Amino acid sequence: MIIYLKHNEIDREQWDNCIKDSCRVQPYAFSWYLDIMAPGWEALTDDDYDSVFPIPCSSRFGIQYAATPAFLQQLGAFSPDKSQQKAINEFIDYMPGFFRLIDLNVGQRIDNDRYRVTLKANYELDLSRPYEKLWNCFSNHCKRNIDKAGKKKQEIVTDITPEELIDLFLNNRGMEIKGIKPRDYQRLNTLMNFCLKNKKGRIIGVRKSRKKIIYGIFLVEIKGSKTMLFVVNTPESREKRINYHIVNEIIKESAGTKTILDFAGSSIPSIASFMESFGSINVPFYRIYRNRLPWPIRMLK
């Protein structure tokens, strides 16, 4: 039986065990990730946490809505045993009516004509093969850029702080990106610090003359998955092809293990092409949208 749980009613241990044992494990649905990036999240669960559906939610003008926040790519249905495709349609049918706006990114396609569904791209690379075989699947363009970057002998550093990485992003076109609010960066900062402290992630990058940062990447790392959650390029790092060098090093260190490198996707063609050049495949997810807000509040969303 499906039940709706408020934030303080969720059993974190049972929840995380369900997420951990589900197929295609990603960090986004673990309770610690949701607590930081979607404070107050609620959930639907079935048969004592045999399957679960996290709901990032909030309210505005006294009206409750469910929406995927920044830096949390996708959620959906999770279950170790049950078909997740079947589970999500059951959960969607059970979504409480008091959510007047639903705008969620989920990992499974839904079969429900009450929602508008949009396909989105996410790129993943299975690192279980030896590095030599992975290299053979890189595009020629990718290999040339890796070779070009290697000649520069860029030293990878691990002493970049979350604050430094976020500042680098904001100073390199980050301010031009709409839809990301100061609170989102504050939450991202908290997430990075949590992951660094609890060995669930790391920040690596390159400094110019060991001082000024010219490239940085925040990886969320859990068993079986490495997610490139936050990548910051600069004009100098692009010119030196540092992004190709760093990703190649990440692939090298985990080649031959049961690990998925998650590039986290992009709708920008040039970035998507970069991800694909390493032999990654598109594992799509879906945006589901339903707006039952009253006018004129609907116009403010």
Side-chain angles (χ1 to χ4, degrees):
M1 180 178 70
I2 294 176
I3 60 173
Y4 177 77
L5 296 176
K6 294 184 179 180
H7 183 70
N8 60 359
E9 297 174 329
I10 299 167
D11 185 312
R12 298 299 198 277
E13 183 177 357
Q14 289 194 74
W15 179 275
D16 285 340
N17 283 336
C18 177
I19 300 301
K20 173 176 63 70
D21 295 333
S22 297
C23 66
R24 285 197 70 240
V25 178
Q26 294 172 300
Y28 311 115
F30 281 98
S31 63
W32 52 267
Y33 198 109
L34 290 164
D35 284 341
I36 296 170
M37 303 308 292
W41 62 282
E42 298 177 346
L44 297 173
T45 67
D46 189 15
D47 296 328
D48 198 24
Y49 294 88
D50 284 347
S51 59
V52 300
F53 183 84
I55 306 174
C57 53
S58 190
S59 64
R60 190 178 184 189
F61 307 115
I63 297 174
Q64 290 182 279
Y65 64 91
T68 303
F71 305 116
L72 196 165
Q73 186 202 65
Q74 59 176 286
L75 293 171
F78 299 88
S79 177
D81 305 312
K82 190 175 185 178
S83 163
Q84 294 185 39
Q85 187 63 54
K86 179 181 179 182
I88 194 169
N89 282 291
E90 293 175 352
F91 284 131
I92 290 298
D93 284 340
Y94 204 84
M95 279 291 285
F98 54 73
F99 287 123
R100 303 297 295 275
L101 173 71
I102 297 174
D103 187 358
L104 297 173
N105 291 337
V106 299
Q108 306 86 24
R109 186 178 183 89
I110 68 167
D111 181 20
N112 192 312
D113 57 13
R114 292 179 298 166
Y115 292 82
R116 186 169 75 236
V117 179
T118 306
L119 185 68
K120 307 193 78 172
N122 184 64
Y123 294 92
E124 298 181 359
L125 178 62
D126 184 346
L127 301 179
S128 59
R129 292 172 294 169
Y131 175 73
E132 292 74 18
K133 290 189 176 180
L134 293 170
W135 170 267
N136 289 337
C137 293
F138 294 0
S139 72
N140 291 332
H141 176 76
C142 179
K143 293 175 181 177
R144 285 195 300 271
N145 280 302
I146 291 171
D147 290 340
K148 184 178 295 186
K151 294 175 182 177
K152 306 281 185 181
K153 296 183 179 179
Q154 303 294 336
E155 181 183 356
I156 298 175
V157 299
T158 60
D159 63 347
I160 299 170
T161 67
E163 293 80 8
E164 284 181 297
L165 189 61
I166 291 173
D167 285 344
L168 182 67
F169 179 72
L170 292 175
N171 292 327
N172 285 272
R173 300 184 65 184
M175 295 296 290
E176 301 173 15
I177 299 178
K178 298 179 180 179
I180 304 181
K181 302 176 181 179
R183 72 180 183 192
D184 298 320
Y185 292 114
Q186 292 168 4
R187 291 173 182 173
L188 176 62
N189 187 307
T190 301
L191 178 69
M192 287 194 279
N193 278 299
F194 174 88
C195 289
L196 293 173
K197 181 179 178 180
N198 293 278
K199 297 182 179 180
K200 295 182 183 297
R202 58 189 162 130
I203 300 172
I204 59 177
V206 173
R207 293 184 184 274
K208 184 177 182 179
S209 302
R210 298 191 60 79
K211 292 181 181 180
K212 182 181 178 182
I213 308 168
I214 58 174
Y215 178 89
I217 178 173
F218 169 51
L219 285 163
V220 183
E221 299 175 309
I222 59 175
K223 185 178 180 180
S225 172
K226 294 178 183 288
T227 302
M228 295 169 52
L229 186 71
F230 190 54
V231 181
V232 186
N233 266 296
T234 63
E236 186 170 353
S237 72
R238 292 187 183 93
E239 190 274 328
K240 293 181 177 179
R241 310 296 195 272
I242 290 175
N243 51 347
Y244 285 92
H245 174 63
I246 295 287
V247 173
N248 184 53
E249 292 301 307
I250 293 170
I251 291 172
K252 273 185 183 179
E253 70 183 16
S254 296
T257 67
K258 295 180 179 179
T259 303
I260 297 295
L261 178 60
D262 189 338
F263 287 85
S266 177
S267 59
I268 300 173
S270 61
I271 299 178
S273 178
F274 167 78
M275 297 171 178
E276 286 185 300
S277 72
F278 288 91
S280 65
I281 61 171
N282 183 9
V283 182
F285 62 105
Y286 306 87
R287 179 190 180 193
I288 62 172
Y289 183 84
R290 185 176 71 172
N291 190 340
R292 297 187 298 119
L293 291 172
W295 191 92
I297 295 178
R298 178 183 299 220
M299 307 304 294
L300 299 177
K301 173 57 182 171

